[in-house]
């Protein structure tokens, strides 16, 4: 399981890991995203703000894993049953939003137990023999094979960020600055989160909507960056195409 969790492998090596962000349902879309680039290591399946149901999530997780891309599920909130459903689907990791305190983060770790052994298969995105885990291999690796990321997005979380970062079992502090222009206060907050993660020996993740932004943060020592979001980029690309078609007509 550790061998096929591409995000975890990069985090353990201290290397940057780039991923995609899926908000729209559909496994054909999943496969298109996952087969788009060899260095796309993970796919975030967004149940918080995306249009993805529970059954779609199960199918998308399986499709992503079959393509050799680690499926990471952002649950709608940190409810135990939501986390269990994500793990039942075979997710390689979870992202939990709105973590305010160290106790919140501690609960997320406690709720997280892997169950979807059949989703952990080793296969190259462009097709090779599938290697499945035995039951013994699953039991030996389960506790260490899940990436747990918590989203730092509130004032309370920022105040408690060092305590959150220090918790065993928390792998990534994730930031989602969905703002086109960042003021100095936000820049400072992002840096303080990154500093807390670094001090605790944890990784920092951040939402990016372009490869250029992702590379910028990778150069700053961040390790988990999205490079594109399906719904956002489809809208922008269609607008660009229609604007070009209209021209000066």
């Amino acid at each position: 399981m550790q061998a096929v969790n591409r995000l975890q492998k990069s985090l353990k090596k201290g290397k940057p890991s780039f991923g995609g962000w899926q908000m729209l349902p559909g496994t054909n879309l999943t496969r298109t995203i996952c087969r788009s680039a060899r260095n796309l290591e993970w796919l975030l399946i967004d149940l918080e703000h995306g249009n993805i149901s529970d059954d779609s999530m199960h199918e998308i997780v399986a499709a992503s894993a079959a393509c050799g891309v680690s499926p990471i599920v952002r649950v709608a909130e940190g409810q135990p049953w939501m986390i269990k459903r994500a793990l039942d689907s075979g997710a390689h990791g979870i992202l939990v939003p709105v973590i305010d305190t160290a106790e919140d983060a501690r609960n997320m770790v406690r709720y997280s137990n892997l169950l979807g052994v059949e989703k952990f298969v080793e296969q190259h995105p462009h097709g090779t023999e599938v290697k499945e885990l035995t039951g013994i291999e699953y039991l030996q690796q389960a506790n260490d094979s899940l990436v747990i990321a918590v989203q730092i997005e509130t004032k309370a979380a920022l105040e408690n960020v060092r305590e959150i970062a220090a918790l065993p079992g928390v792998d990534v502090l994730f930031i989602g600055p969905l703002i086109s222009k960042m003021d100095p206060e936000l820049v400072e907050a992002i840096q303080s989160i990154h500093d807390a993660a670094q001090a605790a020996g944890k990784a920092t993740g951040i939402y990016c909507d372009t490869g250029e932004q992702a590379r910028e943060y990778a150069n700053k020592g961040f390790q988990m960056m999205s490079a594109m979001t399906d719904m956002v980029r489809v809208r922008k690309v269609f607008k660009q195409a229609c604007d070009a078609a209209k021209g000066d007509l």
Side-chain angles (χ1 to χ4, degrees):
M1 289 153 63
Q2 290 174 319
V4 300
N5 192 330
R6 295 178 65 189
L7 171 60
Q8 188 187 64
K9 287 170 68 176
S10 289
L11 296 181
K12 286 183 176 295
K13 292 177 181 178
K15 294 182 177 180
S17 184
F18 301 104
W21 201 281
Q22 184 169 348
M23 302 181 72
L24 300 172
T27 53
N28 283 336
L29 175 58
T30 302
R31 285 184 282 268
T32 299
I33 295 171
C34 290
R35 292 169 178 166
S36 64
R38 288 179 180 269
N39 67 328
L40 191 146
E41 295 188 338
W42 51 272
L43 179 69
L44 193 292
I45 301 150
D46 193 347
L47 305 188
E48 184 187 20
H49 295 301
N51 183 29
I52 297 174
S53 63
D54 182 81
D55 57 344
S56 292
M57 179 264 291
H58 277 74
E59 293 173 356
I60 291 170
V61 165
S64 175
C67 289
V69 173
S70 288
I72 310 298
V73 175
R74 177 160 75 169
V75 294
E77 60 179 298
Q79 294 292 330
W81 71 268
M82 293 183 184
I83 293 173
K84 295 296 185 185
R85 293 299 290 164
L87 299 180
D88 280 353
S89 75
H92 291 193
I94 57 169
L95 173 59
V96 183
V98 197
I99 294 295
D100 287 332
T101 66
E103 184 61 26
D104 291 341
R106 187 177 293 108
N107 286 333
M108 298 310 101
V109 174
R110 184 165 57 87
Y111 299 152
S112 301
N113 295 294
L114 283 169
L115 294 174
V117 59
E118 77 282 355
K119 304 301 192 308
F120 277 85
V121 298
E122 187 170 353
Q123 182 182 29
H124 192 277
H126 300 284
T128 59
E129 182 181 354
V130 175
K131 179 184 177 183
E132 296 188 5
L133 292 175
T134 67
I136 292 177
E137 288 173 329
Y138 171 75
L139 292 173
Q140 289 173 336
Q141 298 179 32
N143 289 338
D144 299 320
S145 297
L146 179 70
V147 173
I148 299 177
V150 296
Q151 198 155 335
I152 308 299
E153 53 184 330
T154 66
K155 181 179 179 181
L158 189 60
E159 292 171 349
N160 296 312
V161 68
R162 290 194 175 272
E163 291 80 7
I164 294 170
L167 281 173
V170 171
D171 301 300
V172 183
L173 302 186
F174 198 89
I175 308 162
L178 194 59
I179 300 173
S180 58
K181 183 178 180 180
M182 297 190 201
D183 60 34
E185 185 177 3
L186 180 56
V187 172
E188 182 180 350
I190 291 173
Q191 186 60 50
S192 68
I193 295 168
H194 182 51
D195 291 344
Q198 294 283 288
K202 307 297 177 67
T204 316
I206 190 164
Y207 175 90
C208 301
D209 193 39
T210 68
E212 290 78 12
Q213 291 175 351
R215 171 52 56 186
E216 176 185 346
Y217 280 101
N219 289 336
K220 294 178 179 178
F222 288 62
Q223 283 187 259
M224 182 182 177
M225 288 73 56
S226 59
M228 186 171 289
T229 300
D230 57 355
M231 189 163 68
V232 175
R233 299 309 298 180
V234 167
R235 182 171 61 244
K236 289 183 179 179
V237 169
F238 267 87
K239 182 181 185 305
Q240 290 169 357
C242 289
D243 287 347
K246 184 176 185 296
D248 57 0
L249 295 177

